[in-house]
Amino acid sequence: MKTLIKILRWIWEFPQHLLGFVLTHLYDVEYVETYKGADVYMGVFPGGISLGTYIIISEQSYRDKRNRTKKHEYGHSRQSLYLGPLYLIAVGLPSIIWAGFIHNLVRKEIGYYEVYPENWADELGEVNRNSK
C-alpha cells in the first residue's frame, strides 16, 4: 500500500517531485532520514526547500535541536500534497519571491514567517516560533 501511495503522490505532485529529484542530484546533499513520509536531504544548500516529498536543508538547519526548519519544510510538503500540480504556482513562486526579494525590503516591518505561504507551512509543520 505504501508503494501505491508513493506512486500516486508522484503523479499528483509530478512537477515538484521531478524538480526535487533533480535538485538532490545537482547539489552536494545526502539523504539523512525520512520524516513523516518526506525524504530529508542535508548538505551544502542555501536555507531550505521542499518539493513534494523531497526536503533539502542546510547542515546547520538540520543540526538545529528544535528542528524548526525541517518541520517548516515538512509543512510545505503538506501544502504540495493538498495543492498537487498547483503547488509551484500557489506556494513555490510566492515563497521564492518573498524569500529572495521582498522580505529583504521589509525585514524590519514584517517577519519572514508572518506571511502566506510561510505561516501556513509553519502551521502544517507544527512549528513553534515562540520557544527559544
Side-chain angles (χ1 to χ4, degrees):
M1 189 65 163
K2 286 185 180 184
T3 303
L4 178 60
I5 290 171
K6 283 185 178 186
I7 292 169
L8 291 174
R9 276 199 77 174
W10 251 87
I11 293 168
W12 173 241
E13 304 168 67
F14 181 74
Q16 48 271 32
H17 273 120
L18 181 60
L19 190 54
F21 176 80
V22 169
L23 287 180
T24 60
H25 289 81
L26 287 178
Y27 281 89
D28 184 17
V29 296
E30 63 180 86
Y31 169 82
V32 287
E33 69 174 299
T34 298
Y35 179 74
K36 297 184 179 185
D39 293 333
V40 180
Y41 294 82
M42 172 197 71
V44 180
F45 192 81
I49 192 168
S50 178
L51 294 157
T53 57
Y54 292 86
I55 294 174
I56 306 170
I57 58 179
S58 69
E59 184 173 351
Q60 179 181 0
S61 294
Y62 183 76
R63 304 269 182 234
D64 175 20
K65 292 180 181 174
R66 293 168 289 191
N67 292 316
R68 289 190 294 190
T69 301
K70 180 171 67 174
K71 290 177 179 179
H72 175 80
E73 294 306 329
Y74 172 72
H76 282 306
S77 182
R78 298 279 308 273
Q79 291 170 329
S80 176
L81 174 61
Y82 297 158
L83 298 171
L86 299 175
Y87 172 79
L88 291 177
I89 295 169
V91 171
L93 191 59
S95 184
I96 288 172
I97 291 170
W98 173 246
F101 305 105
I102 299 173
H103 182 251
N104 289 332
L105 300 173
V106 297
R107 178 179 307 240
K108 293 179 182 175
E109 292 85 19
I110 304 171
Y112 183 81
Y113 299 99
E114 291 181 41
V115 300
Y116 167 87
E118 306 309 328
N119 55 7
W120 185 28
D122 269 1
E123 182 182 325
L124 292 174
E126 300 177 348
V127 178
N128 181 1
R129 299 248 174 234
N130 297 323
S131 65
K132 297 273 175 176

